[in-house]
Amino acid sequence: MVIGKLAELLVFGVTPLMLGIAALPMRADSKAWRVSGDLTYRERMSLPPDAVATIEINHISSCSGRIASISRQRIRNPGQVPIAFDLSVEPDHIPKTGTFVVRAEISVSERTLFATEFAHDLEAGQNSPLHLILNRVS
């Protein structure tokens, strides 16, 4: 009799409770990693209306060295510099190990005009604004 009651409690009480807990979304205090700032270049030149600014956060695997983009923002017709950007990465897309870098470029008709000279290192969760200076490519 006692074993039957325990089995009933397990089947109708504990198991549904555990399944319900497993189906809950992430904690409400888990926030996206936000990286914002602006990019500029030193040349005295206006951007044409068909310019596109691309900013991305890349993850470099510490094991294989493989590079993967984890967040990207494309700004069509960004106007003139400085160009503001705001990227976000959901917590479940942030790898636990490896290096994070941000890079940016401005292109016109698929041709890169300006780009960051090197990738800027980031700490996971870093929220301080970035000021990226792009250099003329072509």
Side-chain angles (χ1 to χ4, degrees):
M1 186 70 155
V2 173
I3 293 176
K5 290 289 184 187
L6 285 174
E8 185 178 325
L9 177 64
L10 182 66
V11 170
F12 295 109
V14 176
T15 302
L17 178 65
M18 296 308 282
L19 289 173
I21 290 172
L24 289 175
M26 291 181 63
R27 293 186 334 228
D29 63 345
S30 295
K31 294 181 181 175
W33 173 24
R34 299 186 68 91
V35 177
S36 62
D38 57 53
L39 51 101
T40 190
Y41 52 83
R42 292 192 172 109
E43 283 77 3
R44 299 182 89 191
M45 161 183 174
S46 295
L47 292 173
D50 59 338
V52 177
T54 304
I55 307 94
E56 64 183 3
I57 299 173
N58 293 321
H59 170 256
I60 304 171
S61 171
S62 56
C63 296
S64 66
R66 200 180 92 203
I67 299 172
S69 177
I70 59 173
S71 183
R72 176 182 298 153
Q73 181 181 9
R74 291 176 56 91
I75 305 169
R76 298 184 191 287
N77 190 9
Q80 302 310 315
V81 294
I83 300 167
F85 64 87
D86 186 24
L87 298 163
S88 66
V89 183
E90 292 302 318
D92 56 336
H93 292 130
I94 302 172
K96 303 284 186 240
T97 61
T99 303
F100 300 94
V101 295
V102 65
R103 59 171 299 281
E105 68 177 33
I106 299 173
S107 59
V108 175
S109 301
E110 305 282 326
R111 194 175 116 231
T112 302
L113 293 180
F114 299 95
T116 47
E117 189 173 11
F118 55 90
H120 298 269
D121 289 342
L122 291 174
E123 297 281 332
Q126 174 182 333
N127 289 321
S128 56
L130 299 175
H131 305 287
L132 305 176
I133 299 175
L134 283 62
N135 294 317
R136 182 77 188 239
V137 173
S138 54

